[in-house]
């Protein structure tokens, strides 16, 4: 914020998603009822780059003061409804292999009746992220916004299995699908990721970004394919929210650059990987709340150093 | 060969490993008793770059004429012993997920009594690859060579579990370990690849190259970390031998460049990934036998296009 002066002239980035209380156990320890959910992790990352506008719902038991770090980054939480009842709670365990997680319990609470309402002041946001919620609700959000420049969307196996039709309709109305590798395979019913990405591109989105956990991410679109590795962290404390932080870094950087040129898309995917890696360094979104853009830039620089090589195509013999 | 004129002045690359007959079933079909084994796949790749010198053993039932493509690339097979008995046979199945394979049968035949003897004319080879065989035998090969510039070595879970001591002794005598991710984890007893690589580096080799199948490869050494993605093939016919073809491309390119500079090491890992990807395009090593260096260079160029991005570190705010 200091960089921007008194008036925050940064781009508006709208996110709709879950705001939850997570209880997470990893080989490194256990955290009880930390703030989480797709909108929180996305917002924690994207608020480094632009003015986040958050739409979601919590129960009257939610510790809203623990979202103060979002306020401090200029996020507008006026779209976060407080409903009577219990907040959405999730608990899970990551075993030795931190790529695989097991859900212990999901308690939807007030989230079960969530009907996203986009406040009037949010409707002109040009950068929109539809976090992983019912695709029917994701569609209704799109009915409430004006002319966004980019709509990106996440989903999960639950919706692929239960509401495939709404999901396919949604694919026809978004610009970018951000999805993990297992979900891309399930959605396309094809194990091969390159073919799975092509299948998705044929259904509407101009860009598909596939998240591969410790193996990084891949951007597929008509301009080709772009790979970023996972950052080689020696300690992964808690991967919860890394995918949403990834999306926050990706959309945030695009909004900041105000561009969808190939070079900016590629760089934004690297920013996504950087934010995803920071998300793993602590339980909850705390590490993202502490971050500076300078630190993020330095990690993006590390990705550059870890991937660059030289090659000149020789003339044909 | 045409590039080199009548005298083959290319570097000598010594490989010791298995020469086998493979029966492989994948979702795309089945191939019976195709020539295979680590020395054959390595040789098929490395012979594009240098003069391969092959040490191995086959039974008197082996169809040596099917190794003619190695001869044509200038490989010297005078270290391939023909022993009385049956050749080494392996059969396996790749399921839907081509990353996982199941061994149906392993018939060692004459390979059970293999005692590698390095012919006098091979002992001055400067580039050496010890394919996946008993580490005690890999050590004995090292006793028979003069002053190699680089000794690279592969191994597998079988030896990690059965002859860990010899393997640890070997690590102290080689320059580069080329190993897959599951084996790196098993060897170091650490699930985290970054820590696993550090563990291995502390035991001797200056370079560790970890193969990650469809996720590419990573070079770890004191100069840092270098990632290459897997090539996004839409059809993977048969991954058998891809890891050995990878090693052949890696060592071949290093031998051709006659350099261990950081930039050459990085580029060589990309050549390895390129050869590994070509190996998957057909059953058996046939695709590698057909390849030209120009095609390989074009694929390396594709890797460059799939990974490059721009970023300038901003000044600190």
């Amino acid at each position: 914020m200091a960089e921007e002066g008194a008036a925050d002239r940064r781009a508006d980035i709208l996110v709709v998603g879950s705001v939850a209380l997570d209880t997470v156990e990893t080989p490194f320890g256990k955290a009880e009822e930390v703030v989480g959910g797709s909108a929180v992790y996305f917002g924690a990352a994207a608020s480094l780059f632009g003015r986040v506008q958050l739409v979601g719902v919590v129960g009257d038991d939610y510790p809203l003061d623990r979202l103060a770090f979002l306020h401090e980054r200029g996020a507008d939480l006026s779209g976060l409804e407080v409903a009577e009842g219990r907040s959405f709670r999730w608990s899970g365990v990551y075993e030795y292999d931190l790529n695989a997680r097991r859900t212990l319990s999901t308690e939807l609470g007030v989230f079960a009746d969530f009907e996203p309402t986009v406040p009037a002041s949010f409707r002109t946001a040009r950068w929109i992220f539809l976090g992983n919620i019912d695709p029917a609700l994701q569609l209704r959000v799109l009915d409430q916004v004006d002319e966004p420049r980019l709509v990106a969307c996440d989903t999960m196996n639950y919706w692929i299995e239960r509401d495939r039709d709404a999901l396919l309709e949604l694919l026809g109305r978004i610009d970018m699908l951000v999805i993990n590798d297992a979900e891309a395979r399930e959605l396309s019913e094809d194990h091969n990721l390159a073919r799975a990405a092509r299948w998705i591109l044929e259904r509407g989105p101009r860009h598909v970004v596939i998240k591969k956990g410790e193996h990084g991410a891949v951007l597929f679109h008509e301009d080709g394919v772009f790979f970023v590795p996972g950052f080689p962290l020696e300690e992964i404390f808690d991967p919860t929210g890394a995918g949403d932080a990834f999306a926050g870094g990706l959309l945030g950087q695009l909004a900041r650059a105000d561009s969808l040129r190939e070079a900016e898309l590629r760089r934004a995917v690297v920013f996504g990987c950087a934010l995803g890696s920071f998300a793993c360094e602590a339980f909850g979104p705390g590490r993202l709340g502490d971050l500076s853009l300078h630190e993020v830039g330095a990690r993006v620089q590390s990705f550059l150093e870890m991937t660059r090589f030289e090659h000149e195509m020789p003339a044909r013999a």
Side-chain angles (χ1 to χ4, degrees), chain A:
Chain A
M1 295 297 293
E3 288 175 15
E4 305 295 325
D8 189 346
R9 287 182 298 269
R10 302 179 303 164
D12 290 334
I13 305 168
L14 172 63
V15 55
V16 182
S18 58
V19 177
L21 291 170
D22 293 340
T23 295
V24 182
E25 199 172 337
T26 81
F28 293 100
K30 186 171 179 178
E32 304 230 19
E33 302 222 332
V34 290
V35 297
S38 60
V40 168
Y41 278 100
F42 178 94
S47 58
L48 276 163
F49 302 87
R51 279 195 309 180
V52 168
Q53 301 172 325
L54 191 152
V55 172
V57 66
V58 291
D60 47 23
D61 59 348
Y62 202 83
L64 288 168
D65 56 307
R66 286 199 247 147
L67 299 179
F69 73 98
L70 290 174
H71 274 298
E72 283 158 22
R73 288 250 188 83
D76 186 338
L77 304 188
S78 61
L80 180 60
E81 185 193 341
V82 181
E84 204 173 308
R86 271 172 71 80
S87 298
F88 178 26
R89 282 170 169 79
W90 174 81
S91 83
V93 179
Y94 294 84
E95 313 280 357
Y96 176 62
D97 172 356
L98 286 157
N99 271 323
R101 83 170 170 205
R102 193 156 46 87
T103 290
L104 293 178
S105 70
T106 303
E107 194 189 328
L108 289 178
V110 296
F111 197 63
D113 303 311
F114 181 41
E115 265 295 340
T117 304
V118 179
S121 61
F122 289 8
R123 294 184 181 194
T124 55
R126 304 194 68 209
W127 307 89
I128 296 181
F129 182 65
L130 305 173
N132 166 32
I133 57 174
D134 186 333
L137 299 185
Q138 291 173 317
L139 280 165
R140 259 176 269 167
V141 170
L142 289 186
D143 294 333
Q144 299 175 56
V145 296
D146 294 340
E147 293 177 65
R149 178 134 187 217
L150 183 91
V151 177
C153 174
D154 191 6
T155 192
M156 69 182 293
N157 53 350
Y158 185 90
W159 306 115
I160 295 171
E161 289 152 22
R162 278 168 191 75
D163 205 356
R164 194 178 176 81
D165 288 346
L167 200 50
L168 290 176
E169 185 186 342
L170 186 68
L171 288 182
R173 292 183 59 187
I174 62 172
D175 304 292
M176 178 185 279
L177 186 65
V178 181
I179 192 173
N180 79 32
D181 46 0
E183 289 153 1
R185 289 174 165 135
E186 185 169 352
L187 177 59
S188 63
E189 298 174 325
D190 194 328
H191 186 78
N192 182 289
L193 269 195
R195 283 198 310 259
R198 190 154 50 79
W199 186 97
I200 296 166
L201 288 172
E202 284 164 1
R203 269 140 199 93
R206 278 176 297 134
H207 315 283
V208 174
V209 181
I210 297 182
K211 300 172 286 183
K212 303 197 296 175
E214 68 163 319
H215 301 297
V218 200
L219 164 68
F220 290 93
H221 56 185
E222 68 176 8
D223 294 321
V225 182
F226 174 60
F227 283 90
V228 187
F231 191 78
L233 291 172
E234 289 212 359
E235 306 291 353
I236 297 174
F237 280 92
D238 175 13
T240 307
D244 296 301
F246 171 90
L250 167 55
L251 262 74
Q253 171 58 24
L254 286 174
R256 182 167 71 137
D258 193 25
S259 168
L260 291 170
R261 285 192 309 119
E262 172 71 11
E264 292 296 350
L265 279 161
R266 287 181 170 225
R267 187 157 66 139
V269 175
V270 185
F271 270 87
C273 287
L275 268 298
S277 70
F278 283 118
C280 297
E281 291 184 0
F283 284 100
R287 180 73 182 99
L288 302 176
D290 287 342
L291 269 182
S292 70
L293 261 185
H294 189 83
E295 276 177 285
V296 178
R299 184 152 295 181
V300 170
Q301 186 69 28
S302 301
F303 277 97
L304 191 60
E305 281 154 20
M306 291 187 315
T307 57
R308 67 176 151 203
F309 69 96
E310 290 153 36
H311 177 65
E312 273 174 46
M313 203 45 207
R316 189 179 278 274

